[in-house]
Amino acid sequence: MASLHNSRLIKKSGKGFSLMEMMVVIGIIGILGGVGVFYGIDTFRGQSFRSDRDTLIVALQHTRAQAIGNICRSGSWGTCTDGKPYGVKVFADKLVMFQGPTYATRDADIDAEMTLNTSVTHTGIDEVVFKQLSGDAAPFGDIVFTDTTGRISTTTVESTG
């Protein structure tokens, strides 16, 4: 009798999830996952955009500090005993920090490059040079970064650096 009783319990015990309940739960998980991916990608794009802006600001601060500090590094110009002007050149895919009065007349051996996100474009001035000792900038103006979603960030370089 005991074995008959156990088999009846097993047969009556139809507790579990129906196919419909499983489909609803999987659907809800799928919708939540899709929303999470959407917002995650948008957050990643925004972070890349802010990263390029921050890279530009760090490059400008670093080169200005080197110009004010009257730092001179030797390269193909030979021995350097007096300070030099320093600058930043902005390209579509990189920033170049250089030593010299202009990017065209720089000592290329001293260049330091920083990679930029290629989905971000820039307008405005593309080269800033800081004078030795004073740190004054020439030319001065705005460097504007724009990404594919329309975000805009303007960095203003004033004549006093």
Side-chain angles (χ1 to χ4, degrees), residues 101-148:
T102 66
Y103 181 77
T105 61
R106 76 196 188 284
D107 185 355
D109 294 342
I110 307 299
D111 288 356
E113 293 184 5
M114 298 177 162
T115 305
L116 295 176
N117 184 350
T118 55
S119 68
V120 177
T121 59
H122 78 279
T123 56
I125 59 175
D126 64 352
E127 181 177 333
V128 178
V129 177
F130 297 100
K131 290 183 183 176
Q132 174 185 356
L133 295 177
S134 70
D136 292 344
F140 53 91
D142 293 335
I143 302 173
V144 181
F145 283 102
T146 308
D147 74 356
T148 55

Side-chain angles (χ1 to χ4, degrees), residues 25-38:
V25 169
I26 290 172
I28 290 171
I29 291 172
I31 290 170
L32 291 175
V35 169
V37 167
F38 175 75

Side-chain angles (χ1 to χ4, degrees), residues 13-24:
S13 157
K15 295 184 181 180
F17 296 107
S18 69
L19 181 60
M20 185 56 85
E21 290 171 328
M22 294 289 282
M23 297 291 284
V24 168

